[in-house]
Amino acid sequence: MLSSLLNPSADFKPRVRLGPQQPRMGAFQQHHGDPRARRRSRQFYLFAAVLGIFLFWWYYLSDGGGVGNGKGGISRIKLRGQHGMPPGAGSDWVPSFGQPVDPPHRSSHNKVELVVASVKNTSTHWLKEFFPHYAKSIYVSDDPEAKLTVPMNKGRESTVYLTYIIDNYDTLPEVMIFLHGSRYQWHNEDPMYDGVPMLQNFRIPYVRDHQFATLRCTWELGCPHEMSPDLAAVSRLTDPDADDRAKTEAAYAKAFTELFPDLQLPDDVAVHCGAQFAVTREAVKRRPKRDYVRYRQWLWETDLPQQYSGRVFEYAWHIMMGMPSKYCPDARDCFCQKFGLCNLEGCVEHGCPKRYKFKFGLLPKDWPDVGPGEDGWPEKGWAD
């Protein structure tokens, strides 16, 4: 070959027209005369092409089972098995990919976000420990120096929830879970009032299907009936002989007509108590941003005491988000579909015997290490 390069004329062959018995050899055939080599080359190029197409789809077009957000960007990966999942991860776990767990700036690509109403003496570390896969907006409503706070601390958790919606209306995530900052609360749907298993079992697909869902199933308190608003009874607000329920019904009736002039005052209002719920972006955006601004302004300007102004919103969030005024799903279906607890025994329409014990009030300090079995609080292991 070296001699032919140095002296091209040595191997010169004149170009002749090939007859039918002498097919022209292409460049590929000239350099890969061995049929097996040709076959291997074709297989290699085919494999490379298929792999390239798959990787392109996986990174840029997939939504749900692979990496990507379905809009041409790499965001997060969804693992369908249990392997590699962090402690506390639920069935809808979608760990962050290529970005911090708590992104400094939220975008509409985030699928689920926890919106937390807390105060300075509330420990919220449990949320980061057990739910690192969720973005979080943790408000400290009584600390003006906190990273996230509110202009006016009034109406309990209501100002936090409304402030979040107002400030982030154009970049809301797909699903928002609004909740309180304490891990243990008497209204948490758990035998020991623990918020960790409650959130671990909570099914995000249920929210997507129903648009709105409380974090409870048991009909105590709030269901099957909470109040019958009556505008004619507004005078009860200042009646010293009226009980708390009568005053609540009077306050609710007056507030409802001011907050929702487009809706008829319902005769019956019922929903799980607790003011903890999940809602989709679509449900929130059924109402324009100006409505939420107006709701918050009403909350700041009302003369109602917090116990009543906060309760008005507690039993109005579901209506605000497009649900019927009486929203009490069958507890048997609720536990199965909302929390994945489908094999509970002895369940009836209003609840299951080993899921929740009603006891109103603040949990004892250092619960559950201190307090179970005392003063009417459930004992450890009572539901085992």
Side-chain angles (χ1 to χ4, degrees):
M1 179 178 287
L2 179 61
S3 61
S4 65
L5 292 173
L6 296 174
N7 185 15
S9 62
D11 291 327
F12 174 77
K13 294 180 181 179
R15 182 173 180 176
V16 298
R17 184 178 298 275
L18 299 174
Q21 303 300 321
Q22 295 177 294
R24 177 178 294 178
M25 296 178 64
F28 182 89
Q29 292 172 306
Q30 292 173 358
H31 293 285
H32 300 277
D34 185 351
R36 290 175 297 178
R38 293 199 302 270
R39 185 165 54 252
R40 286 194 297 269
S41 297
R42 290 193 188 100
Q43 292 173 344
F44 172 81
Y45 291 132
L46 179 61
F47 173 79
V50 171
L51 179 61
I53 293 172
F54 172 77
L55 290 175
F56 178 86
W57 171 85
W58 192 51
Y59 274 91
Y60 294 100
L61 302 179
S62 170
D63 184 25
V67 178
N69 52 29
K71 298 182 179 179
I74 304 172
S75 62
R76 47 184 75 199
I77 181 170
K78 182 173 181 180
L79 303 181
R80 298 194 179 277
Q82 295 295 318
H83 303 291
M85 297 173 71
S91 63
D92 198 64
W93 179 55
V94 280
S96 177
F97 186 88
Q99 56 183 333
V101 170
D102 287 332
H105 301 289
R106 186 174 13 75
S107 76
S108 60
H109 299 317
N110 289 337
K111 291 188 175 182
V112 180
E113 182 161 358
L114 305 180
V115 183
V116 184
S118 71
V119 292
K120 285 188 289 189
N121 64 355
T122 300
S123 174
T124 58
H125 294 298
W126 64 282
L127 293 167
K128 295 183 179 180
E129 177 184 356
F130 291 96
F131 305 98
H133 48 289
Y134 286 151
K136 303 167 191 68
S137 287
I138 301 176
Y139 288 78
V140 185
S141 58
D142 61 346
D143 184 1
E145 303 300 322
K147 181 180 178 181
L148 288 175
T149 188
V150 290
M152 183 183 297
N153 182 21
K154 189 178 179 183
R156 297 176 176 173
E157 70 282 325
S158 303
T159 290
V160 168
Y161 294 178
L162 290 169
T163 297
Y164 171 87
I165 292 173
I166 293 167
D167 292 347
N168 304 286
Y169 188 84
D170 295 328
T171 56
L172 294 172
E174 180 187 356
V175 172
M176 292 144 278
I177 303 177
F178 292 88
L179 70 159
H180 303 154
S182 297
R183 174 176 175 178
Y184 296 97
Q185 302 173 78
W186 68 266
H187 51 73
N188 279 349
E189 190 69 78
D190 178 77
M192 296 303 291
Y193 314 116
D194 190 349
V196 171
M198 178 185 72
L199 280 180
Q200 287 175 336
N201 292 329
F202 188 69
R203 298 294 192 253
I204 298 301
Y206 182 91
V207 188
R208 294 192 182 108
D209 292 341
H210 294 77
Q211 301 292 295
F212 176 92
T214 68
L215 301 189
R216 301 200 64 206
C217 288
T218 303
W219 289 12
E220 199 174 16
L221 300 167
C223 288
H225 170 77
E226 177 58 26
M227 69 179 82
S228 298
D230 184 3
L231 275 173
V234 171
S235 59
R236 294 180 182 175
L237 276 171
T238 56
D239 184 354
D241 296 326
D243 61 17
D244 188 66
R245 177 176 291 276
K247 291 185 177 182
T248 297
E249 290 180 339
Y252 190 94
K254 184 175 185 299
F256 191 93
T257 57
E258 295 171 353
L259 291 168
F260 309 107
D262 56 324
L263 299 178
Q264 182 178 352
L265 179 66
D267 297 326
D268 190 4
V269 176
V271 72
H272 301 121
C273 75
Q276 297 190 122
F277 58 88
V279 65
T280 63
R281 175 173 55 226
E282 289 74 17
V284 173
K285 303 196 87 169
R286 290 191 186 113
R287 293 185 173 274
K289 180 179 178 180
R290 63 178 178 272
D291 278 1
Y292 298 102
V293 174
R294 182 168 54 82
Y295 300 153
R296 188 177 66 175
Q297 196 64 32
W298 178 93
L299 185 62
W300 289 349
E301 295 176 354
T302 183
D303 294 330
L304 289 174
Q306 289 206 72
Q307 70 181 95
Y308 296 117
S309 63
R311 198 173 299 166
V312 165
F313 279 91
E314 179 179 1
Y315 291 101
W317 291 113
H318 64 299
I319 300 174
M320 189 186 304
M321 301 304 170
M323 308 308 290
S325 62
K326 187 172 183 176
Y327 187 58
C328 299
D330 187 302
R332 293 163 292 193
D333 297 333
C334 180
F335 275 116
C336 183
Q337 298 172 15
K338 188 188 293 186
F339 291 104
L341 303 174
C342 300
N343 298 315
L344 300 177
E345 298 180 356
C347 295
V348 292
E349 183 183 24
H350 62 265
C352 299
K354 291 188 176 182
R355 289 308 306 166
Y356 181 79
K357 275 189 177 181
F358 172 68
K359 173 76 165 68
F360 180 81
L362 293 175
L363 289 166
K365 186 179 180 181
D366 299 324
W367 177 275
D369 296 324
V370 176
E374 302 175 3
D375 298 326
W377 294 106
E379 298 180 354
K380 286 186 177 181
W382 72 270
D384 294 344

